[in-house]
Amino acid sequence: MKHLILSISILGLIACGGDTAKADIQLATMQCGMCKQTIESGVAEVDGVVKVEVDTEKKVGHVTYKAGVVDIAAIEKAIAALGYDANDTKADPDAYAALPGCCQIGGMH
Ligand SMILES: [Cu+2]
């Protein structure tokens, strides 16, 4: 009986987490807590993203995603579309221009 329960829990682990990957994305142009919220809610909407956490101080996004559904390039593009640089992917200029002043580089603090 003990063995049966153990087998079931191992199967459950494989089914739930087998294909997730983790990555850190450099967010060099983010400025403040509002940027964190914008990026976190934007990335969370990307299909295949399981979890996203932005470190405002280090300017890094910690992303957990389903590797078979989405890749880093697609997540970088989603962040660029929000107006922020993501690794080497440059921010969309129109989205950047539409950000609040405090969220632009060297903006009002
Ligand atoms: Cu900001």
Side-chain angles (χ1 to χ4, degrees), residues 29-36 38 84 99-104:
T29 58
M30 69 168 290
Q31 305 292 315
C32 66
M34 217 154 93
C35 303
K36 171 184 159 84
T38 304
Y84 298 94
L99 290 175
C102 66
C103 295
Q104 297 186 5

Side-chain angles (χ1 to χ4, degrees), residues 75-84 89-92 94-96 99:
I75 296 169
E76 285 178 7
K77 261 187 212 166
I79 296 171
L82 295 168
Y84 298 94
T89 305
K90 291 294 167 199
D92 178 80
D94 293 336
Y96 173 76
L99 290 175

